[in-house]
Amino acid sequence: MSTSLTTPAATSSAAPSTSPYQHYVYAYPHKTAYRPLDDRPALSDVWATEDKSALSLYLHIPFCEVRCGFCNLFTRIGAPDGLTGAYLDALERQAGAVREALGDGIRFATAAFGGGTPTFLTARELERLCDIAEHGMAADLRAVPLSVEASPATATADRLAVLAERGTTRLSLGVQSFVDSEARAAVRPQRRADVEAALGRIRDTAVPVLNIDLIYGIDGQTERTWLRSLDAALAWRPEELYLYPLYIRPLTGLNRHRPDAGGPDLAWDEQRLRLYCAGRDHLLAQGYVQQSMRMFRRADAPPQGADDYACQTDGMIGLGCGARSYTSALHYSFDYAVGMHEIRGIIDDYVATTDFGHPAVGYRVDGPEARRRHLLQSLLQADGLDTGDYRARFGAEPGDDFGAELDGLAAQGWLADLTATRLRLTPEGLAHSDAVGPLLFSPAVRAAMAAYERK
């Protein structure tokens, strides 16, 4: 893929007045659009007509040793004695109910453990987690790509040994910054020496793919310190790097320190866009290939198959109280919260649950929403949308369904070609992915998200 190395003009006359940083779209619709399912359908009915030949399995662990200041994920700090064991008990019960509901003929093509921090669990508990995936769900972890998230403090030798032995092909380490003062500013209390030690232990496991997460836009960060962090990461030759813009979301730690950060901040927007471009150009010059606004893969990295950024496939089985599941017609999960008190209550409810055979909260994805989701998640990848695939799946051209939206993107200079067999964002459009995504939300999803009561 060829990518221009020019910097998007954040303040040019062609640039939109809207902030480039509206919303990170990693799934559509967002969980804040989900609502209680009054009919509580049986899982066996939900999955009865679905293709189960290449499912994705996701196990969610909602525990962290510390909550970073920017984090709005579903996780709690620490766990009272016995809670992680009780959580795994519930996870095992849920796996049994889901496996029974799926029936025969299932096959898993990918697996992932996320959170939270899966490596918050002890080595023995990680063994049990793998057993739940393998014995409870019949997923052969050694035969499919298995991605696991970790933090430097919990990436201990005994935990990593378990994960490597059980077939992990990708370890993702949340570093955020190799500059200690920036880590503190992001309320990510860690020392670079500890991060480097964790990276050494991960490389010792010989897991094929190492991913390092970094964040730009932190208070006090400059282009020089940003590139210093990138070079520190590159010294480990990671197969993947994710570059995330800092967001300050409601109910997070940084939001308590900067309660006014939700409003327009043109200077911060320009800083983040400038740092993004510097990071992107630096990685491209070092032999990395851009997969999306955030994700960069080393050109000679081993192939992972259908991994976590291949987002077109329905058939996601999520286990755990923060996990989502996707069918072609229904996305469902447990309740969602960001506040600590509410998260603890949801985890407690999950641990006490005995009926895992009926989804509780979700969003029904009808035909128009399925088309929108396909368009949105395809365009946010650097490879873009294959119009032939769209036509084969939906019996229409993307322009027939979303002509106004595509014309608007083209007018901004964000869409490369409306007539090509593959629709791609321009380099400037890719840089504005967090504005492009929200522009494609349906009115119904927008309304549901706006009506969501934060908790």
Side-chain angles (χ1 to χ4, degrees), residues 162-176:
V162 168
L163 295 174
E165 195 278 328
R166 298 302 288 262
T168 300
T169 57
R170 178 181 182 270
L171 274 165
S172 180
L173 194 71
V175 174
Q176 319 316 345

Side-chain angles (χ1 to χ4, degrees), residues 56-378:
S56 299
L57 179 64
Y58 177 79
L59 274 63
H60 180 258
I61 303 300
F63 305 107
C64 290
E65 74 276 14
V66 66
R67 185 142 196 205
C68 302
F70 51 84
C71 178
N72 69 340
L73 298 178
F74 187 95
T75 189
R76 63 164 290 164
I77 302 168
D81 287 346
L83 182 56
T84 54
Y87 184 83
L88 291 173
D89 289 343
L91 202 66
E92 191 166 16
R93 293 196 302 275
Q94 186 185 9
V98 172
R99 180 68 185 82
E100 181 179 1
L102 288 173
D104 297 327
I106 70 167
R107 175 185 170 272
F108 287 98
T110 67
F113 302 157
T117 308
T119 48
F120 179 89
L121 300 178
T122 65
R124 185 180 295 275
E125 289 170 333
L126 285 171
E127 286 275 16
R128 187 178 176 197
L129 184 68
C130 293
D131 286 343
I132 291 169
E134 291 194 336
H135 306 316
M137 291 303 301
D140 186 350
L141 297 183
R142 294 179 179 86
V144 301
L146 170 60
S147 178
V148 182
E149 298 172 3
S151 68
T154 60
T156 58
D158 59 339
R159 293 175 169 101
L160 295 173
V162 168
L163 295 174
E165 195 278 328
R166 298 302 288 262
T168 300
T169 57
R170 178 181 182 270
L171 274 165
S172 180
L173 194 71
V175 174
Q176 319 316 345
S177 177
F178 283 86
V179 178
D180 289 353
S181 60
E182 291 177 4
R184 288 193 298 272
V187 194
R188 174 78 178 186
Q190 63 191 18
R191 297 182 305 130
R192 176 172 175 175
D194 297 329
V195 171
E196 301 275 3
L199 286 165
R201 292 191 295 270
I202 291 173
R203 279 310 198 196
D204 287 344
T205 68
V207 167
V209 173
L210 164 66
N211 172 70
I212 296 176
D213 289 344
L214 296 174
I215 285 181
Y216 54 92
I218 301 169
D219 279 352
Q221 191 176 51
T222 65
E223 185 171 330
R224 181 178 59 83
T225 63
W226 173 229
L227 293 177
R228 187 194 310 166
S229 265
L230 283 170
D231 284 336
L234 289 169
W236 292 96
R237 287 188 50 77
E239 285 71 24
E240 295 178 3
L241 278 157
Y242 271 77
L243 309 185
Y244 289 94
L246 179 66
Y247 276 96
I248 299 181
R249 296 300 195 193
L251 304 180
T252 61
L254 286 179
N255 180 239
R256 289 193 292 272
H257 296 297
R258 291 175 57 183
D260 59 341
D265 189 333
L266 294 179
W268 193 30
D269 285 349
E270 291 181 4
Q271 181 213 20
R272 285 181 288 181
L273 193 57
R274 185 171 60 252
L275 293 175
Y276 159 79
C277 293
R280 176 201 63 189
D281 294 354
H282 193 59
L283 293 184
L284 293 176
Q286 295 296 318
Y288 284 76
V289 178
Q290 187 167 17
Q291 304 284 345
S292 69
M293 173 186 167
R294 288 164 169 74
M295 195 274 196
F296 296 79
R297 173 178 277 268
R298 212 177 71 208
D300 61 348
Q304 282 289 286
D307 51 13
D308 61 336
Y309 57 84
C311 56
Q312 292 314 313
T313 306
D314 293 317
M316 168 72 77
I317 302 291
L319 302 181
C321 60
R324 310 161 190 256
S325 295
Y326 303 147
T327 74
S328 60
L330 178 68
H331 294 187
Y332 63 90
S333 67
F334 291 87
D335 202 3
Y336 172 71
V338 175
M340 279 289 100
H341 178 74
E342 287 76 11
I343 287 176
R344 288 173 182 152
I346 294 171
I347 293 173
D348 290 344
D349 289 344
Y350 175 81
V351 166
T353 296
T354 56
D355 176 15
F356 286 106
H358 298 81
V361 176
Y363 194 96
R364 298 192 181 279
V365 182
D366 60 14
E369 288 290 22
R371 295 178 184 218
R372 190 175 293 273
R373 174 176 178 249
H374 187 97
L375 172 77
L376 187 155
Q377 294 194 315
S378 295

